[in-house]
Amino acid sequence: MDTFALVVTVGVALFFTYTNGFHDSANAIATSVSTRALTPRAALAMAAVMNLAGAFLGSGIAKTVSEGLIETPHGSKGMWILFAALVGAIVWNLITWYFGLPSSSSHALFGGLVGAALAGGIGVIWSGVISKIVIPMFLSPIVGLLVGYLVMCAILWMFRKANPHKAKRGFRIAQTVSAAGMALGHGLQDAQKTMGIVVMALVIADVEKPGDPIPVWVKIACAVMLSLGTYAGGWRIMRTLGRKIIELDPPQGFAAETTGAGIMFTTAFMFHAPISTTHVITSAIMGVGATKRVNAVRWGVAKNIILGWFITMPAAALVAAASFWVVNLAFL
């Protein structure tokens, strides 16, 4: 039974990574596709490759997820808590993907973990949840908005005398680099989150000891599933990010992607904080758009997106808690 529970949980964790890939692929490439810097297929292929590479860049975030949010559960009950957490995250991912809402896969996962832990009677490390999840959740969009605005202001000032057509052509080329950086950051952030869950499952099953390095097969499996999901594409969300918030031109796309990538690398390497790629790029797009004029941003669309961010953790927590109660009746 324990081996069955481990296999099922790891399988569901890898499926979550796949949904994360097609849900969040829009984060990395929506701006490049909407400004026609890259064709959709070329952008997805590039994002898949960079996601794969990004997954191998560190392990700080995986450690935060596996050790810093909930107390490590034990036995078959612990395994089903992880299973329920992943079900909560996957269900919310699919609902928001269906409606084209760029919500956060990361916060769906964290909400799922907290909801399943509470339902299963496992301690939640609230200090870790607040310092590593809640505070960055509020801070990262504000930083994204401000930095996006400032980066775009700097670009406008530096290229104020440039030929507009030449400048746009140059930024279209530069966007291939900024989009690659964004995809690399997404791989760095999001593949590690699932690695943390798989490591926790292996510790529960006594296959690994707490504090052991992440097995290579876990890194490869998570990275490959994230890449496959990314290549499958998330067209609904891409339309929302690329067109509905604001019509972007290449300099704006470059500024938004550079801002998003910079924030993701900084938080991953300096703070080991698992932030939401979705929050960062969406807020950066809003900040960049506001340099044109404040009402250039479709704030009604932005308001719906932000509302989705606040609902994500509690909604995923509720689905995860319900999933645990169902599993509890069936298996425990």
Side-chain angles (χ1 to χ4, degrees):
M1 185 61 180
D2 285 350
T3 306
F4 171 72
L6 175 62
V7 170
V8 168
T9 303
V10 170
V12 173
L14 293 176
F15 179 67
F16 166 75
T17 311
Y18 181 83
T19 67
N20 184 338
F22 76 69
H23 193 278
D24 289 6
S25 58
N27 299 337
I29 61 172
T31 45
S32 308
V33 173
S34 70
T35 61
R36 295 180 176 81
L38 293 167
T39 64
R41 277 290 155 213
L44 282 168
M46 179 274 295
V49 170
M50 298 310 280
N51 266 328
L52 192 66
F56 293 93
L57 288 182
S59 58
I61 290 169
K63 189 175 173 64
T64 297
V65 173
S66 63
E67 296 173 19
L69 304 180
I70 65 170
E71 289 172 9
T72 303
H74 298 287
S76 57
K77 180 184 175 183
M79 198 67 77
W80 292 123
I81 284 172
L82 285 192
F83 172 80
L86 289 160
V87 169
I90 289 167
V91 168
W92 187 248
N93 264 1
L94 294 175
I95 291 169
T96 50
W97 166 80
Y98 181 78
F99 289 105
L101 266 182
S103 73
S104 167
S105 295
S106 311
H107 289 104
L109 179 62
F110 304 143
L113 273 174
V114 170
L118 291 173
I122 296 293
V124 175
I125 305 167
W126 290 110
S127 59
V129 171
I130 290 165
S131 65
K132 295 288 187 184
I133 309 301
V134 177
I135 291 173
M137 182 173 88
F138 284 99
L139 279 183
S140 61
I142 295 167
V143 172
L145 194 75
L146 289 173
V147 175
Y149 183 85
L150 293 172
V151 168
M152 193 62 216
C153 285
I155 287 172
L156 289 170
W157 185 80
M158 286 162 68
F159 291 89
R160 65 193 184 282
K161 292 176 183 172
N163 178 303
H165 294 296
K166 278 186 180 174
K168 279 189 179 178
R169 198 159 57 241
F171 276 108
R172 204 166 265 136
I173 295 163
Q175 262 200 282
T176 57
V177 178
S178 59
M182 191 72 208
L184 195 69
H186 178 242
L188 167 68
Q189 281 275 351
D190 284 33
Q192 281 193 56
K193 290 160 191 167
T194 312
M195 288 178 205
I197 298 293
V198 175
V199 165
M200 204 188 278
L202 294 173
V203 168
I204 292 169
D206 283 332
V207 177
E208 292 277 310
K209 295 281 182 287
D212 281 357
I214 301 169
V216 175
W217 72 265
V218 173
K219 289 188 177 184
I220 292 169
C222 292
V224 168
M225 289 305 285
L226 188 69
S227 283
L228 289 174
T230 299
Y231 193 68
W235 305 109
R236 291 169 186 267
I237 291 167
M238 207 183 297
R239 277 196 292 275
T240 303
L241 272 183
R243 295 280 165 83
K244 289 186 181 175
I245 298 173
I246 185 171
E247 293 282 348
L248 291 166
D249 62 21
Q252 291 172 325
F254 174 80
E257 288 167 346
T258 304
T259 300
I263 292 169
M264 283 193 293
F265 284 116
T266 304
T267 49
F269 288 123
M270 289 182 68
F271 306 111
H272 297 163
I275 63 159
S276 165
T277 339
T278 312
H279 291 190
V280 169
I281 190 63
T282 309
S283 56
I285 290 170
M286 291 177 199
V288 163
T291 58
K292 195 182 277 184
R293 60 185 190 283
V294 172
N295 63 358
V297 178
R298 297 185 184 104
W299 294 107
V301 176
K303 184 188 75 178
N304 290 341
I305 290 169
I306 292 164
L307 192 63
W309 294 353
F310 286 107
I311 295 169
T312 292
M313 277 186 76
L318 285 171
V319 177
S323 302
F324 177 76
W325 288 321
V326 170
V327 169
N328 196 28
L329 286 171
F331 293 105
L332 298 173

